[in-house]
Amino acid sequence: MEREVRVRFAPSPTGPLHIGGVRTALYNYLFAKKMGGKMILRIEDTDQNRFVPGAEDYIIEALNWCGITLDESPVTGGPYAPYRQSERKPMYMQYALQLVESGHAYYAFDTAEELDEMRERLKAAKVATPQYNAITRATMKNSLTLPEDEVKRRLESGDPYVIRLKVPRKEEVRLKDMIRGWVMVHSSAIDDKVLMKSDGMPTYHLANIVDDHLMEITHVIRGEEWLPSAPLHVLLYRYLGWEDTMPEFAHLPLLLKPDGNGKLSKRDGDKLGFPVFPLRWTDPFSGELSSGYREAGYLPEAFVNFLAFLGWNPGTQQEIFSLQELAQEFSVERIGKSGTRFDIQKARWFNEQYLRAKPDAELATYLLAALEEHQITCTPEKAEKIAGLMKERVSFPQDFWQEAAYFFVAPTEYSEKVASKKWNVQAVEVFQDFKNEIPALADFNADAVKELLLQILERRGMKIGQVMQALRLAATGAEAGPDLMQIIEVIGKEETISRIETAIAKLGHYATA
RNA sequence: GGUCCGUUCGUCUAGGGGUUAGGACUUCAGAUUUUCAUUCUGGCAACAGGGGUUCGAUUCCCCUACGGACUACCA
């Protein structure tokens, strides 16, 4: 009987979730959906010193924004609650003690100074990897070296202690990674990891094994930075007697900085010229503000599509995938092995694709919202028309206002380039006729306006190309934009006349020849 | 330093013992257009290097180089 697939995303609430974390969550989610399983959020807050207020809410909001739904979480609860490790604190000690009793772990009383001293000593002796291990533990203060009664005395008197895993001296530890195949590590490369800290909290290593087991997690999909400690986790499953239900592992390739120089990290903030966080974040201690994809104008569908392709591909030519389609096509086998450089250009391209696929009416809401902020009234019909004219030329929702303000506000400045090249006496004469004859137009629409302009030009033996740029300048101040006749139709009769008059007055000094 | 992981166009990648090594982003050129953008067409551009194995290797194996991760009472 196959077990139901259960995966977890297990972030630590030490700040905003960064984009690599979002991708890990996404892959977990896609895998769960593909397999008809459950997606669980577990908060790994065993380090009380690094707790950051608001981080957990941020994580949940970010996942929510992406459309990643949680079957079990600290908020929704679930059959394996609680989902915060701090709230599971009483559960861990018994397993650590079980390991002590079975001889796979021991008490250690060394102070931080003594540990430093040990490392310094080994370093001075040119030991390649100074670590608390099968050899050095014999020289340290622990329940393997101290007399039994002293250990007992120390424990009873409340001396601070940790519990360390007793890693065997020589043993080949193998684990099968779904992405990388068999990975072999010699136990001598693993040190006697602390399982229980002196504050009574477990470390990540113990907590994640205990929780994954208790929560019946079947697949652990996490970043490659965990690969070196994965063999240690295998050892823990073995010593705890849980090896037969041990989850399968998949270690995801890392997200690298655009120059390939190191992994993308929270600390990169906005230094790279693009956000590394899904949502904007204000650091509660320093007040430092970091930008987010949501606020930058990325559509969640585009963001998710882009993220999914950073390290995974469907093996077909299709690039645009909804979250549902991704879940349908997703497979761990198609995840790449090598680190992926982050390319913001591609993210932008995805955003444009999704923007263009939206109906004009929906795009109009972006414009309407911006107009409201600027206290400009506009009918939904007009906004929809403008959205339709602009959609092929914007990358972000905010561009509708930024690039199309001239639909509502008369230009105050004119492109110097176009003015000097295209604004001349001949054009001005055409515009004089044009604005004088506009009032007679029965229907003020793009076709009629164009017809009128064509008539005037014909009378003067001119071609449309000779005046269009200048007319665009008069109407919008800009050198480029959507169909000018459409713009004029939207601006309206009076405003068009007024803008032409203003331009003739203001640009007079260019019309000398 | 040690351990582990990785390496196909600038970037994301497909492919896989015999292919004109395919696509997308970027970029360039042309077409369309009243401009710019879009769109369309086309171009530039890659198997890190060296050894094997093989009739044949980019593909399999080894070594080197390079890159990355890890190396805490952090996750």
Side-chain angles (χ1 to χ4, degrees):
Chain A
M1 171 71 179
E2 283 279 298
R3 286 199 292 169
E4 176 194 47
V5 166
R6 292 174 55 79
V7 298
R8 86 302 197 273
F9 176 56
S12 170
T14 54
L17 188 57
H18 99 299
I19 191 162
V22 179
R23 191 194 57 167
T24 301
L26 176 64
Y27 283 12
N28 271 283
Y29 170 82
L30 294 176
F31 182 71
K33 289 299 139 188
K34 169 76 180 181
M35 305 302 284
K38 295 277 194 291
M39 167 75 177
I40 293 126
L41 174 69
R42 186 175 68 220
I43 299 295
E44 310 238 327
D45 55 352
T46 52
D47 187 351
Q48 298 158 325
N49 301 320
R50 294 209 304 161
F51 174 78
V52 174
E56 184 185 314
D57 288 342
Y58 179 99
I59 290 165
I60 290 167
E61 195 185 341
L63 296 179
N64 196 37
W65 179 67
C66 292
I68 297 172
T69 54
L70 275 4
D71 295 299
E72 298 166 30
S73 78
V75 182
T76 59
Y80 298 83
Y83 292 91
R84 271 182 212 101
Q85 290 185 327
S86 58
E87 293 168 13
R88 301 172 68 83
K89 184 176 177 182
M91 313 173 70
Y92 302 109
M93 184 53 105
Q94 57 177 304
Y95 298 105
L97 291 178
Q98 182 191 325
L99 289 170
V100 171
E101 271 153 39
S102 62
H104 289 116
Y106 57 90
Y107 298 101
F109 303 97
D110 315 277
T111 62
E113 293 73 39
E114 286 166 332
L115 290 171
D116 283 345
E117 206 176 287
M118 178 266 282
R119 291 194 189 96
E120 285 308 313
R121 201 176 67 233
L122 293 180
K123 232 158 131 187
K126 300 242 184 342
V127 172
T129 45
Q131 58 182 13
Y132 207 118
N133 63 14
I135 297 166
T136 50
R137 66 178 166 240
T139 67
M140 305 301 286
K141 287 202 184 84
N142 54 55
S143 59
L144 301 174
T145 58
L146 264 22
E148 205 175 313
D149 55 336
E150 187 183 341
V151 171
K152 204 175 162 198
R153 203 209 72 229
R154 279 176 181 258
L155 290 176
E156 279 167 2
S157 69
D159 258 20
Y161 68 91
V162 299
I163 295 177
R164 283 180 183 271
L165 184 68
K166 194 175 164 191
V167 176
R169 182 157 178 195
K170 357 178 175 182
E171 193 176 312
E172 205 64 67
V173 185
R174 283 156 41 101
L175 91 134
K176 191 169 183 196
D177 184 90
M178 288 194 278
I179 294 172
R180 285 151 223 285
W182 285 104
V183 175
M184 229 110 68
V185 179
H186 196 83
S187 63
S188 62
I190 306 170
D191 60 352
D192 287 0
K193 280 275 182 304
V194 171
L195 266 19
M196 290 298 293
K197 299 185 269 190
S198 55
D199 64 1
M201 275 289 198
T203 58
Y204 167 84
H205 301 293
L206 206 226
N208 104 88
I209 269 73
V210 168
D211 288 341
D212 284 348
H213 176 256
L214 261 23
M215 292 182 175
E216 301 191 58
I217 299 301
T218 57
H219 300 264
V220 170
I221 303 171
R222 80 237 286 196
E224 192 185 354
E225 67 267 31
W226 293 109
L227 195 51
S229 57
L232 168 82
H233 301 156
V234 171
L235 246 27
L236 277 167
Y237 279 105
R238 185 176 303 163
Y239 297 154
L240 255 4
W242 302 334
E243 207 173 4
D244 53 338
T245 55
M246 183 171 78
E248 289 194 62
F249 294 99
H251 290 93
L252 267 21
L254 265 14
L255 251 36
L256 273 21
K257 296 177 205 277
D259 60 4
N261 194 215
K263 71 168 173 174
L264 211 50
S265 80
K266 285 184 185 182
R267 307 191 50 141
D268 290 323
D270 285 301
K271 295 183 193 77
L272 269 17
F274 56 82
V276 299
F277 301 119
L279 276 33
R280 176 183 294 159
W281 167 260
T282 307
D283 187 280
F285 304 119
S286 69
E288 190 191 349
L289 186 78
S290 303
S291 66
Y293 281 86
R294 182 177 64 184
E295 291 75 13
Y298 286 87
L299 269 17
E301 311 92 285
F303 179 70
V304 162
N305 198 158
F306 163 70
L307 224 45
F309 270 68
L310 247 31
W312 174 86
N313 78 86
T316 65
Q317 309 283 68
Q318 188 182 345
E319 304 250 13
I320 303 296
F321 283 85
S322 68
L323 194 57
Q324 290 70 30
E325 289 175 309
L326 287 171
Q328 214 165 81
E329 298 303 317
F330 191 75
S331 75
V332 176
E333 294 74 49
R334 297 206 64 88
I335 297 175
K337 291 178 172 63
S338 49
T340 305
R341 296 191 200 193
F342 192 85
D343 179 15
I344 195 65
Q345 295 273 23
K346 200 86 178 241
R348 187 190 174 98
W349 178 81
F350 272 110
N351 214 48
E352 289 167 350
Q353 300 306 306
Y354 276 88
L355 227 34
R356 283 165 203 168
K358 281 189 185 295
D360 294 350
E362 195 177 336
L363 299 176
T365 61
Y366 301 135
L367 181 59
L368 257 6
L371 288 170
E372 204 178 318
E373 263 177 58
H374 293 264
Q375 294 169 333
I376 295 171
T377 55
C378 174
T379 64
E381 292 73 29
K382 185 174 168 184
E384 196 173 324
K385 169 124 188 163
I386 295 171
L389 291 174
M390 297 301 296
K391 73 193 291 185
E392 302 287 292
R393 47 213 316 129
V394 298
S395 299
F396 303 104
Q398 63 270 28
D399 294 343
F400 281 105
W401 163 249
Q402 280 166 18
E403 305 285 318
Y406 52 67
F407 280 99
F408 304 95
V409 184
T412 52
E413 283 173 23
Y414 299 89
S415 160
E416 162 70 29
K417 197 175 119 201
V418 177
S420 59
K421 271 168 73 178
K422 304 283 183 178
W423 195 262
N424 52 47
V425 176
Q426 272 191 307
V428 169
E429 281 170 9
V430 171
F431 300 154
Q432 292 285 9
D433 285 1
F434 186 56
K435 64 134 175 136
N436 287 337
E437 291 172 42
I438 281 176
L441 244 31
D443 248 340
F444 190 79
N445 60 47
D447 287 342
V449 169
K450 185 166 188 180
E451 185 55 34
L452 172 62
L453 184 62
L454 253 18
Q455 279 174 20
I456 295 167
L457 287 165
E458 202 183 332
R459 288 203 304 259
R460 297 176 171 273
M462 291 170 67
K463 288 195 201 138
I464 196 163
Q466 294 176 260
V467 297
M468 276 308 243
Q469 280 291 78
L471 184 55
R472 177 180 297 281
L473 190 70
T476 71
E479 51 194 57
D483 185 279
L484 183 55
M485 297 305 153
Q486 296 286 344
I487 294 175
I488 287 175
E489 176 184 319
V490 173
I491 291 173
K493 199 182 270 189
E494 279 72 38
E495 181 66 12
T496 300
I497 294 170
S498 142
R499 289 191 187 183
I500 290 173
E501 285 171 346
T502 305
I504 290 174
K506 282 198 180 176
L507 298 172
H509 56 289
Y510 286 105
T512 48

